[in-house]
Amino acid sequence: NREMLEEVHRLLWQTGVRAELTGSPVFLDEAQASVRRDIERTGIVATVFVMVILVAVFRDPVFPLVAVVPLGVGVVWCLVFARAAFGSINLFVAALPATLVGIGVDYALHLWSARSEQRDADAVGRWARVYATAGPPLLVAMLTTVVAFLTLLLARLHLLPAMGAAGAMGIALTFGATALMLPVLADGCSRLGTGRFRPVSMGWLIRAAQSAARHRTATIAAFAIVTAPLLIAALELRISSDPRAYDPNLPSNRLYLELAAKMDIITTPILVAVP
């Protein structure tokens, strides 16, 4: 597509004709560039917001770096795996960096919290206790997420199995990177005099949970009343299979629809084949 479009642009430039291009080759070329921008944009924005939230809650400017470094390693490995396995990254896999950041940060949070509760002077003994207590639930959480992604391998739409395989591998790699790198990074920060665990007060959440526990019947009824109409609305969701719906603002897509309207033609014809 790229070589053909460059040739068309060169010929138009030689003839001096001012023109815009549309059609499947142009749309695919613009969609590929848009996917790359989306990967970069969503990954960066997700990382920045995660770091801001961690700083605001833990009140420690160093811990976000301790958590984000293993996440970055996991995301990079995931994208390399997707390229090696599939040769390219589809529209669904493009959303994985932001997804991995959102899910993978939990591993660092639980390990950091468990570490703050240990008082052993020996670093090896402290981390042994951390993994003895927090390790099993974290491992189960990772495995259940991996299994959920792997179920996408059963999908017939070829885009979903790629997302499932890359997502499962990305979660596993992020977990491994966090489990191995976090002790080194956390202890290194402690030697610098940082790593103080001083989270904001969760008193409001405690009071809300206590109130819900005291009024169990009212809590369940309230959730049921709110969820019932939302469930009906969810069952009526429509699924779009139009590839052009990915980004309707692509120049070639806007031009395509504009020409179809001006020329009064059907943009999605139905072809009938008979013997």
Side-chain angles (χ1 to χ4, degrees):
N1 286 335
R2 169 54 55 184
E3 294 178 355
M4 180 171 58
L5 291 175
E6 291 178 352
E7 180 68 10
V8 172
H9 282 297
R10 185 182 64 82
L11 294 175
L12 289 173
W13 181 79
Q14 290 179 350
T15 58
V17 176
R18 294 184 57 187
E20 296 181 73
L21 301 179
T22 187
S24 296
V26 186
F27 173 78
L28 292 176
D29 183 72
E30 292 178 351
Q32 290 175 353
S34 181
V35 169
R36 180 174 294 276
R37 288 194 302 270
D38 285 347
I39 293 176
E40 298 173 354
R41 182 183 303 119
T42 56
I44 292 174
V45 171
T47 302
V48 170
F49 273 104
V50 165
M51 294 185 69
V52 170
I53 293 173
L54 292 179
V55 170
V57 174
F58 289 90
R59 298 176 179 176
D60 189 336
V62 177
F63 171 61
L65 296 178
V66 174
V68 168
V69 169
L71 284 178
V73 172
V75 170
V76 171
W77 288 357
C78 173
L79 294 178
V80 172
F81 165 79
R83 179 180 178 182
F86 309 108
S88 61
I89 297 176
N90 62 46
L91 306 181
F92 293 167
V93 177
L96 281 179
T99 303
L100 293 178
V101 170
I103 298 176
V105 72
D106 292 343
Y107 306 139
L109 286 173
H110 287 290
L111 291 176
W112 184 270
S113 299
R115 174 183 178 273
S116 68
E117 298 173 358
Q118 304 300 326
R119 297 294 181 263
D120 292 351
D122 179 41
V124 177
R126 181 168 59 248
W127 284 107
R129 291 178 178 272
V130 168
Y131 283 106
T133 55
L138 280 181
L139 181 62
V140 172
M142 182 271 293
L143 291 177
T144 53
T145 308
V146 167
V147 169
F149 272 107
L150 290 179
T151 57
L152 295 177
L153 296 176
L154 303 176
R156 298 180 63 183
L157 182 63
H158 71 279
L159 298 177
L160 290 177
M163 177 185 178
M169 181 60 66
I171 288 295
L173 291 173
T174 301
F175 175 82
T178 302
L180 297 178
M181 296 179 65
L182 188 72
V184 178
L185 296 173
D187 289 343
C189 292
S190 296
R191 294 189 184 96
L192 297 175
T194 60
R196 295 180 300 276
F197 188 81
R198 297 178 293 109
V200 298
S201 174
M202 292 288 107
W204 61 272
L205 184 58
I206 296 174
R207 291 190 294 272
Q210 291 175 337
S211 177
R214 286 193 297 266
H215 306 88
R216 290 188 293 271
T217 303
T219 301
I220 295 174
F223 273 97
I225 293 173
V226 174
T227 304
L230 296 180
L231 175 61
I232 297 175
L235 295 175
E236 296 177 351
L237 288 176
R238 299 181 60 185
I239 300 176
S240 173
S241 58
D242 184 4
R244 295 180 182 273
Y246 164 70
D247 190 350
N249 295 319
L250 292 178
S252 61
N253 196 22
R254 292 201 307 269
L255 178 60
Y256 177 76
L257 297 176
E258 182 182 351
L259 290 177
K262 290 184 177 180
M263 299 171 64
D264 194 22
I265 61 175
I266 299 175
T267 59
T268 53
I270 297 177
L271 304 181
V272 181
V274 297

